[in-house]
């Protein structure tokens, strides 16, 4: 993570600052801490995922996950959805379901397919894997 020198500060421990539209999270990078902004909807999503009030589906293909996978996500490849193969039956259909991919395009494509498969509340994320990895993991 890069930080602007004006944001680099020494802190005794991680600090979360609430601002009107953005949450700033201080993270340790070596001996310097940097502030990374977290959009409100991502902060809300993170809380819902940690409380198990929501689920996060990763619609990238299996070979893409060799580069990494978000800890709180479940892999459901878009190709599987397009083949009309439903996700694991253990995934609750009535739980708030966030969907992510590499850059956001496939998440938008997957949302209506998941709704047609019975998922009641599907939210495609514009943020891709790289951005979410920085914010969530």
């Amino acid at each position: 993570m890069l930080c602007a020198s004006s944001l680099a500060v020494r802190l005794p421990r991680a600090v979360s600052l609430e601002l009107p539209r953005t949450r700033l999270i201080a993270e340790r990078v070596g001996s310097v801490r940097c502030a990374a902004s977290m959009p409100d909807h991502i902060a809300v999503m993170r809380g819902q995922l940690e409380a198990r009030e929501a689920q996060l589906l990763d619609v990238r293909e299996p070979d893409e996950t060799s580069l990494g996978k978000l800890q709180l996500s479940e892999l459901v490849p878009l190709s599987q959805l397009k083949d009309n193969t439903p996700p694991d039956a253990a995934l609750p259909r009535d739980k708030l379901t966030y969907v992510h991919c590499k850059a956001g395009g496939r998440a938008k494509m997957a949302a209506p397919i998941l709704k047609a498969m019975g998922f009641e509340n599907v939210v495609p994320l514009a943020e891709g894997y790289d951005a979410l990895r920085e914010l969530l993991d």
Side-chain angles (χ1 to χ4, degrees), residues 102-121:
K102 175 69 176 157
R106 287 177 285 178
K108 288 179 188 174
M109 291 171 39
I113 298 170
L114 288 165
K115 287 179 184 177
M117 291 180 170
F119 286 82
E120 297 173 11
N121 193 0

Side-chain angles (χ1 to χ4, degrees), residues 23-99:
R23 174 181 284 179
L24 293 178
I25 306 292
E27 295 183 11
R28 185 178 174 89
V29 178
S31 63
V32 177
R33 294 183 185 260
C34 303
S37 65
M38 180 181 291
D40 287 342
H41 70 284
I42 299 296
V44 168
M45 179 187 73
R46 181 181 187 162
Q48 292 168 327
L49 292 170
E50 289 173 349
R52 300 198 185 277
E53 297 168 356
Q55 59 193 345
L56 177 62
L57 302 184
D58 180 348
V59 296
R60 296 178 300 153
E61 296 304 314
D63 61 318
E64 293 177 273
T65 62
S66 66
L67 301 173
K69 180 181 172 297
L70 298 174
Q71 291 178 340
L72 299 172
S73 70
E74 189 72 37
L75 181 64
V76 180
L78 180 60
S79 61
Q80 173 186 323
L81 296 175
K82 284 183 171 182
D83 288 341
N84 208 26
T85 305
D88 184 353
L91 291 173
R93 301 318 198 242
D94 60 344
K95 189 179 269 191
L96 175 59
T97 302
Y98 292 98
V99 183

